Amino acid sequence: MIYLGVDPGKTTGIALVRENLDVWKLAEVKGGADGFLEYWNEFLEPWYKPDVIVCESFHTREGKHGVDTTPLVVIGALKALADASGIPILMQPPGGRLKRIPDAVMKRLDLYPPGRQNRNCREALRHVLSVMKSDGNRLVLEAFRDDETPQP
């Protein structure tokens, strides 16, 4: 199975990962929906067809003004592309992501792109790992079991 993780925004994080945790693509795509569509048409659609797309959903927070709605436009473009390609989309809430897939687990799996410049693709990857965990992926679950092992 091939998963496409998407962290939508002005800079959209992309993670294309196989179920054996082989990462095919990690990208930080600038330009909002236009940049995402260009990336989809040039680098994803002609070469890779994911079995499922995992995307962070968009929620406004009360009391916060001047919210950037770019993620909504990216999500809309992604849904249109997925519908046209027959690819299911799983939406994940933005909150609780560090609890679902802690940084330590990503590092243990050697799937933690370091640095601020990789924040969005790291979050896209985190969304994929969260779904893999829910699906019972042995490799991801083993990384969590290591947390239960006493350390010397």
Side-chain angles (χ1 to χ4, degrees):
M1 178 166 285
I2 301 168
Y3 298 83
L4 173 63
V6 179
D7 185 50
K10 286 182 182 175
T11 299
T12 297
I14 302 288
L16 192 64
V17 185
R18 292 186 54 172
E19 64 188 314
N20 65 358
L21 302 183
D22 181 24
V23 176
W24 282 356
K25 287 257 181 210
L26 284 178
E28 296 276 326
V29 179
K30 297 188 184 314
D34 290 338
F36 173 75
L37 288 169
E38 183 178 322
Y39 188 84
W40 177 279
N41 289 325
E42 287 184 28
F43 298 106
L44 291 177
E45 199 273 330
W47 308 106
Y48 307 98
K49 183 172 181 186
D51 296 301
V52 66
I53 297 170
V54 185
C55 183
E56 182 176 278
S57 59
F58 179 85
H59 297 139
T60 57
R61 294 184 200 106
E62 252 186 74
K64 191 168 184 181
H65 300 286
V67 175
D68 176 21
T69 57
T70 304
L72 288 172
V73 182
V74 174
I75 291 168
L78 178 62
K79 285 185 174 185
L81 293 167
D83 285 348
S85 301
I87 304 169
I89 297 182
L90 303 174
M91 300 301 289
Q92 287 194 332
R97 66 189 188 283
L98 293 172
K99 188 173 184 179
R100 284 190 305 270
I101 304 292
D103 289 347
V105 168
M106 292 180 73
K107 289 174 183 176
R108 194 172 295 120
L109 292 168
D110 198 25
L111 295 175
Y112 187 88
R116 184 165 173 76
Q117 74 277 10
N118 290 315
R119 186 186 74 76
N120 297 296
C121 66
R122 185 169 51 242
E123 294 309 312
L125 186 54
R126 193 183 309 273
H127 290 302
V128 168
L129 293 172
S130 180
V131 168
M132 287 180 165
K133 178 185 174 191
S134 296
D135 288 348
N137 181 288
R138 181 184 53 81
L139 298 170
V140 175
L141 292 175
E142 283 176 4
F144 276 89
R145 280 193 213 104
D146 287 347
D147 280 341
E148 299 166 8
T149 305
Q151 299 297 319

